Amino acid sequence: KRQGTGAVTITRTNFTGAVTLSLTGAPAGVTGDFAPNGTTGTTSTLTVTVSAAVAAGAYPVTLSGTGAPGARTAPVVIKVVAAPADYALSLNFDTVSVVQAATGTRTVTITRTNFTGAVTLSLGGAPTGVTGVFAPAAPTGTTSTLTLTVGAAVAAGTYNLTVAGTGTPGAKSTPLALTVVAAAANYTLSATAASIAKGASGPSTVTIARTNFTGAVTLSLTGAPAGVTGTFNPAAPTGTSSTLTLTVGASVAAGTYSLIVNGTGTAGARTAPLSLTVTGGTGGGTFTINFTNCDPTEQPDWFAFQDNAGPWTVVAGVNHAYTFTVASSRGGIAFHHSGGGVNVQYGTTAELTAQGTDFCSATITGKTVNGTVAGVTATDQAFIALGNGRTFLSSVPTFQLNHVEDGALDMVAFRRAETGTTLPSAVIRRGQNIAAGGSLEHLNFDSTEAFVPDSAFITLSGLAGGETVNTAMSYAVGPSCSDGVLYSGIVGGATFMALGIPGAHQVASDYHNLQVAASVTDADDRFVIMSFHTLSARTVTLGALMPAPTVTTLAGPYKRLQAVYTLPADYNSTSYRYDDGSSASIDIDASLAYLGSTAVTLAAPDFSALAGWSNSWMPGTSATGTWRLTGTATTPNFTLCTEGGSVKSAGKPGTF
């Protein structure tokens, strides 16, 4: 609104009475007030108020007076002039309180008059450690959000700040009082991962991040396996770090262990996880990799090994077994076979030993067992397992199980509706010892022998968004942990229902194995399998997404790709594969124990000068194709029959 004033003169002749003044004919948004009104004098002041909505222009109105001699009028023209471009700044609150190492926000309002241009905002008067960010920073609208960030080192107190604006009408400002509140005494712990050979010692740095706390933190180590000890220096630091020296006995099994660093102080107790990888020791050994049990297409036609980072050496096989000596604590093997291209595997001597005697499992042999089934319609899905014998069927009334080993075995059968409304049903028969070529007793999913499966809701943690989730469940029984599918291909989400075997039908050696896959078409995928005895509500956490690697091409007579990336802490091994879409491919695998760091570089070696090597096994220098990056983690000594045991993996595809 804007106002203007004018003088009203009353010329009197033999009349001294009061004259009441008024203004008529004014447009909407224009009003007039007289001071005084009903005057007995000769003057009054007219104040005209014009709202912002009134257009500029000249408006004729009538000035009226009423007194004892009668009514009198006079014409008046009110000229409305456009207001100049201007703006003003204000805050929703002109004070704000922020705790040290925290943030606070205020809304900046821009009141505009005939001005629509940008106003560039800034914060003035802020002490060191206090920053302000405006969103947007140069608004053309009427508001912006100011986020104030107060560093942990900023002293508690009140600071007078200024929110300033710059625009074509000029500079404007508005005050803001910032009160910095002292944060409560606090601290956090973190510890770097360690990779140590058997019989050796190595460090881990424990970092103490402090907030308003300078007291001593007494450190201790828990969760270490027998043979692993830790010493802190200092043991009760008042500073921000301590060196933990871990000593690994020669008898400690190679693998990755999850330890815990504990801290106690007047600010409370804190913990930090510590990953310790025990490698096979400083010495090497002689190794034999045996491919005898492998399918002929999986048996190498060329084999080489590497001692540490030394040159590759070709080894001649004897009856598909390859023997070589590695002097250091780590090495690698490389081989080509017609069924899977080129394979390169890097590991510690302990991992090479585990790779060892039989590269492939022995071919499954055994007897054939027949059976008949009822209660399975064309819209159902049924799985039947007896030892190594497994089958899937739908509506067919007969089945056959092959490769069933001798001895008493537990049969597990499970039915669920694939598209129809059939209720799920399960049957377990213990101690089945059927003669070769014999038949199981007739199986009926609707008989009194069958039972209703249990169900439990599973919460999936770590979804990134946009992923399709598929779930499956298998069930392991017997001393050999024979694993048979209960169901597969169920679409889930962040929360889904899993089916399994009720406790009343379980024995102590039975285990559920829940499998969850989350993937985005032609993009990232992740997988987790978790083993547990009792089906109950639980949270399953996906591993981290794999990062996008930096892929470069190295010199050589064939396509030699190199991938550089940081392996997420969730995984303890990684691989990089690429192929040209036909028969030329390479898989490069390495363990975290071999790498010694999460900073990973995997590259195709140049084997071209080695005897027996053929460049045709690899994609050509001008070839295009696809690559895949993978990270994998297993809990120590994982099997499908270990309570809480799990395997996690993540993959990222790409093209070259």
Side-chain angles (χ1 to χ4, degrees):
K1 293 181 178 181
R2 294 290 186 270
Q3 292 182 327
T5 60
V8 179
T9 301
I10 303 169
T11 304
R12 296 173 180 271
T13 304
N14 296 326
F15 170 60
T16 59
V19 176
T20 301
L21 301 170
S22 63
L23 192 68
T24 59
V30 176
T31 59
D33 296 296
F34 298 85
N37 201 352
T39 180
T40 57
T42 59
T43 62
S44 179
T45 299
L46 168 61
T47 299
V48 177
T49 301
V50 179
S51 72
V54 178
Y59 297 89
V61 297
T62 301
L63 175 65
S64 301
T66 304
R72 305 289 187 268
T73 63
V76 176
V77 175
I78 298 175
K79 292 184 178 180
V80 177
V81 180
D86 200 4
Y87 70 96
L89 299 178
S90 61
L91 298 164
N92 56 338
F93 297 98
D94 58 3
T95 62
V96 61
S97 295
V98 182
V99 177
Q100 292 166 326
T103 62
T105 61
R106 283 293 179 263
T107 299
V108 182
T109 298
I110 305 168
T111 304
R112 298 173 177 271
T113 302
N114 293 332
F115 171 58
T116 58
V119 176
T120 302
L121 299 172
S122 61
L123 184 68
T128 301
V130 174
T131 59
V133 176
F134 296 86
T140 56
T142 58
T143 61
S144 178
T145 298
L146 166 61
T147 299
L148 288 164
T149 301
V150 176
V154 178
T158 299
Y159 301 87
N160 294 317
L161 281 56
T162 300
V163 174
T166 303
T168 51
K172 310 291 182 180
S173 65
T174 189
L176 173 62
L178 165 65
T179 298
V180 176
V181 180
N186 192 17
Y187 71 96
T188 59
L189 296 177
S190 61
T192 58
S195 180
I196 304 170
K198 297 182 192 181
S201 297
S204 171
T205 299
V206 179
T207 300
I208 306 168
R210 299 173 176 269
T211 303
N212 292 334
F213 173 60
T214 58
V217 177
T218 301
L219 300 172
S220 62
L221 184 68
T222 57
V228 174
T229 59
T231 303
F232 296 88
N233 183 25
T238 56
T240 58
S241 67
S242 177
T243 298
L244 167 60
T245 300
L246 292 161
T247 300
V248 179
S251 62
V252 178
T256 300
Y257 300 87
S258 297
L259 284 58
I260 298 174
V261 174
N262 306 281
T264 56
T266 56
R270 305 288 186 269
T271 62
L274 167 60
S275 177
L276 168 64
T277 299
V278 177
T279 61
T282 56
T286 298
F287 306 93
T288 297
I289 309 295
N290 192 344
F291 293 84
T292 304
N293 291 329
C294 297
D295 182 271
T297 61
E298 301 296 321
Q299 291 172 337
D301 48 25
W302 180 88
F303 186 98
F305 79 94
Q306 183 184 49
D307 188 351
N308 201 351
W312 289 92
T313 302
V314 175
V315 177
V318 178
N319 295 325
H320 306 297
Y322 299 83
T323 300
F324 55 94
T325 299
V326 172
S328 63
S329 62
R330 65 178 198 160
I333 60 173
F335 55 91
H336 172 266
H337 54 86
S338 61
V342 179
N343 285 261
V344 180
Q345 299 182 12
Y346 298 104
T348 65
T349 51
E351 290 165 339
L352 292 175
T353 300
Q355 186 77 274
T357 309
D358 292 306
F359 193 86
C360 299
S361 300
T363 303
I364 296 175
T365 59
K367 58 193 175 186
T368 297
V369 173
N370 302 303
T372 59
V373 64
V376 182
T377 71
T379 60
D380 296 336
Q381 182 186 74
F383 290 95
I384 303 169
L386 180 66
N388 289 321
R390 301 173 180 87
T391 190
F392 157 79
L393 54 89
S394 179
S395 75
V396 178
T398 61
F399 63 88
Q400 188 173 80
L401 302 173
N402 298 311
H403 311 301
V404 179
E405 58 268 47
D406 289 327
L409 305 170
D410 295 343
M411 183 206 73
V412 179
F414 195 94
R415 175 199 70 186
R416 73 167 184 88
E418 190 168 22
T419 58
T421 58
T422 307
L423 293 177
S425 176
V427 176
I428 294 182
R429 293 178 185 167
R430 306 285 180 181
Q432 302 294 294
N433 193 356
I434 310 300
S439 298
L440 284 164
E441 182 181 342
H442 179 65
L443 174 62
N444 187 345
F445 283 104
D446 294 320
S447 68
T448 56
E449 177 188 28
F451 55 87
V452 177
D454 250 355
S455 63
F457 281 101
I458 307 297
T459 300
L460 186 59
S461 175
L463 284 171
E467 294 160 303
T468 299
V469 176
N470 287 279
T471 72
M473 183 75 79
S474 62
Y475 198 66
V477 295
S480 62
C481 191
S482 298
D483 189 45
V485 174
L486 297 185
Y487 61 85
S488 63
I490 304 297
V491 177
T495 301
F496 59 89
M497 187 174 69
L499 300 177
I501 305 301
H505 295 272
Q506 291 188 284
V507 298
S509 58
D510 291 355
Y511 283 86
H512 292 89
N513 295 297
L514 174 65
Q515 302 161 50
V516 182
S519 61
V520 177
T521 303
D522 298 326
D524 293 277
D525 59 81
R526 286 176 291 171
F527 177 81
V528 60
I529 179 169
M530 176 178 285
S531 182
F532 47 83
H533 177 70
T534 302
L535 179 66
S536 59
R538 65 185 65 238
T539 297
V540 176
T541 302
L542 293 166
L545 294 167
M546 287 295 287
T550 299
V551 178
T552 55
T553 301
L554 304 180
Y558 48 81
K559 181 74 75 172
R560 294 181 60 217
L561 295 185
Q562 174 178 276
V564 178
Y565 54 98
T566 299
L567 182 66
D570 287 353
Y571 307 115
N572 53 29
S573 66
T574 186
S575 66
Y576 181 63
R577 170 191 169 86
Y578 63 93
D579 65 74
D580 62 2
S582 58
S583 59
S585 66
I586 184 170
D587 279 283
I588 310 168
D589 301 88
S591 68
L592 185 59
Y594 172 91
L595 296 166
S597 168
T598 57
V600 181
T601 299
L602 292 182
D606 185 354
F607 297 124
S608 59
L610 298 181
W613 170 262
S614 172
N615 291 335
S616 65
W617 294 336
M618 290 287 290
T621 54
S622 61
T624 59
T626 60
W627 55 257
R628 177 177 172 80
L629 194 69
T630 304
T632 305
T634 61
T635 53
N637 304 316
F638 170 79
T639 70
L640 290 177
C641 295
T642 302
E643 186 66 35
S646 68
V647 174
K648 294 182 180 181
S649 67
K652 181 178 288 293
T655 60
F656 66 89

